[in-house]
Amino acid sequence: MYNRRDFLVGATAAAAVLGLAACGGSGAGSGGPDTDAAPSDQTVGVAMPTQTYERWVADGNNIKKGLEEKGFTVDMQYADDDIPTQQQQIDQMVNKGVSALLIASIDGASLSSQLDAAAAAGIPVIAYDRLLTDSENVDFYVTFDNYKVGVNQANALLFGLGLLDEKFEKAADAPKGPLNVELFAGSLDDNNAHLFWKGAIDTLQPYFDDKTLAVPSGQMDIEQAATQRWEQETAQKRMENLLTTHYNGGEELAGVLAPADPLSRGIINALQNAGLGPTLEEGLPVVTGQDAEIASIKLIADGVQSSTIFKDTRQLAEQAIVAAESILKGEDPEANDTETYDNGVKVVPSYLLEVQMVLESNYKEILVDSGYYTEEQVKSGQL
């Protein structure tokens, strides 16, 4: 039976290393970094996908600050969610001869030629949060346990619907089904979106099978539920279309599986505009989320959004820096997963951090008490 404590684990718990895996091999090229060079003589190229998503700005700031504190020079580029721009930025980093590359890709399968060039130049590559696929030239991967993210989202939905109690076990007074829900997924070109989806659907499937949950739209495949580039406006438009098409005869929508906070806010806008709400207490459907963006934490504190998943990007940036340091010293970075992340060509040794489910009942403990946000930021919904 699901135990809430399994999924409300602090991100710092991931500091316990469960295994050791070699990086490099064919991915690092024949030259490799100058392992005797001082950090002050080395530049780390950091490729980020976009600045329009709050979490990527936080990731970039944390990485840059951490690397510079170690003495490295940082070449950081944001690609505005444009694949050719990111390709060009990484080409330029390779041509400049950076010592290592840390890449959060827009499309994990779109950078094969850039990774080939990096390998030929002896530049090691670390995939950051999004797996780089279809290439042998990936040395290491740092991310969160993305399957568990999906499990957490599904359990948050079930909890919000009253099907699970506070111990995340079957509620004694669970409502009788069928309860109508709709499903949203992330961008198909993001490998993480598939893992979020699998974790969620694996958890929800028994409830679909026994008719406790129903999806009136019938859109239960990831291709139908996908949201290109994780865009809020796209999610809002799809939710509006679902309401118009499938909930125009008095049908009641109980909840929405949303895999990220911008999508959650778009969905909530559509629901409120349709007269459902304005709060959970006043009938707004349960809506999940991810990334603990400040605007969504305010919504959770205000009883509007039901939940989100906190992925502490401070810890992720720290782990990426640790891995980069190890590689640049000619050492093998520590991995706690050497089986899960097959990129289509190789299994990439990885370090996974834990995630936390955030609810109205625990957001202060997880986010305010830890110093991630202040109470004033939560109240205003702004950083």
Side-chain angles (χ1 to χ4, degrees), residues 63-382:
I63 291 167
K64 188 173 189 294
K65 179 182 178 182
L67 285 169
E68 288 178 345
E69 287 177 349
K70 298 287 186 180
F72 295 100
T73 299
V74 179
D75 181 359
M76 177 171 290
Q77 302 290 333
Y78 283 88
D80 298 324
D81 263 334
D82 183 67
I83 293 170
T85 297
Q86 187 165 65
Q87 291 170 331
Q88 183 180 35
Q89 289 171 343
I90 296 172
D91 282 334
Q92 291 173 345
M93 292 176 186
V94 172
N95 291 336
K96 288 178 183 177
V98 297
S99 301
L101 282 168
L102 201 159
I103 300 173
S105 63
I106 299 168
D107 179 346
S110 68
L111 300 174
S112 293
S113 64
Q114 285 71 35
L115 300 181
D116 289 345
I123 300 171
V125 173
I126 297 171
Y128 184 89
D129 201 39
R130 293 177 171 177
L131 185 62
L132 295 163
T133 59
D134 301 330
S135 175
E136 65 178 349
N137 301 311
V138 186
D139 295 277
F140 201 71
Y141 182 36
V142 291
T143 190
F144 295 92
D145 191 327
N146 294 307
Y147 181 86
K148 279 189 179 179
V149 169
V151 172
N152 270 265
Q153 289 173 338
N155 278 295
L157 178 64
L158 296 170
F159 174 73
L161 295 173
L163 296 172
L164 297 180
D165 62 19
E166 292 184 353
K167 295 181 179 180
F168 285 78
E169 298 176 350
K170 185 176 180 180
D173 56 349
K176 301 296 182 182
L179 301 175
N180 293 330
V181 298
E182 294 294 338
L183 311 175
F184 281 70
S187 194
L188 292 178
D189 53 12
D190 182 348
N191 187 70
N192 288 352
H194 298 267
L195 292 166
F196 302 152
W197 179 264
K198 180 170 174 52
I201 297 303
D202 284 353
T203 305
L204 295 176
Q205 193 62 54
Y207 296 87
F208 294 135
D209 292 342
D210 68 9
K211 311 301 183 184
T212 300
L213 297 180
V215 181
S217 71
Q219 297 178 13
M220 300 182 66
D221 295 329
I222 190 171
E223 291 79 11
Q224 297 171 307
T227 310
Q228 183 69 3
R229 296 285 180 271
W230 303 89
E231 291 181 348
Q232 177 173 329
E233 296 79 8
T234 303
Q236 181 169 338
K237 183 176 180 180
R238 178 170 175 252
M239 189 71 252
E240 290 168 347
N241 291 337
L242 289 171
L243 290 173
T244 300
T245 306
H246 301 285
Y247 296 87
N248 57 5
E251 299 86 353
E252 182 177 345
L253 177 64
V256 182
L257 177 76
D261 287 342
L263 278 64
S264 309
R265 294 195 295 274
I267 292 164
I268 289 169
N269 286 341
L271 296 173
Q272 291 178 330
N273 291 342
L276 303 178
T279 66
L280 291 163
E281 187 174 341
E282 296 170 281
L284 188 71
V286 173
V287 180
T288 64
Q290 180 182 191
D291 285 328
E293 290 195 348
I294 188 62
S296 284
I297 296 305
K298 175 176 171 50
L299 292 178
I300 289 172
D302 291 344
V304 177
Q305 184 170 321
S306 178
S307 65
T308 189
I309 304 301
F310 178 46
K311 297 159 55 175
D312 194 335
T313 56
R314 298 169 298 184
Q315 298 291 332
L316 186 63
E318 179 181 338
Q319 197 58 45
I321 293 166
V322 168
E325 277 191 298
S326 295
I327 290 175
L328 290 171
K329 291 177 182 178
E331 300 171 355
D332 296 334
E334 294 174 317
N336 59 13
D337 189 306
T338 58
E339 299 178 358
T340 302
Y341 289 92
D342 187 335
N343 77 349
V345 177
K346 64 184 285 188
V347 176
V348 183
S350 307
Y351 194 99
L352 310 185
L353 285 86
E354 292 288 345
V355 299
Q356 292 174 283
M357 184 193 299
V358 177
L359 307 164
E360 186 177 1
S361 62
N362 67 8
Y363 80 87
K364 289 183 180 179
E365 175 187 352
I366 293 174
L367 296 170
V368 177
D369 293 350
S370 72
Y372 196 81
Y373 293 135
T374 66
E375 279 281 16
E376 290 72 22
Q377 289 171 331
V378 173
K379 289 178 181 178
S380 68
Q382 296 179 341

Side-chain angles (χ1 to χ4, degrees), residues 39-59:
S40 58
D41 295 326
Q42 300 182 79
T43 297
V44 178
V46 181
M48 287 278 140
T50 181
Q51 288 179 293
T52 61
Y53 201 150
E54 182 182 300
R55 72 143 296 188
W56 292 117
V57 176
D59 281 84

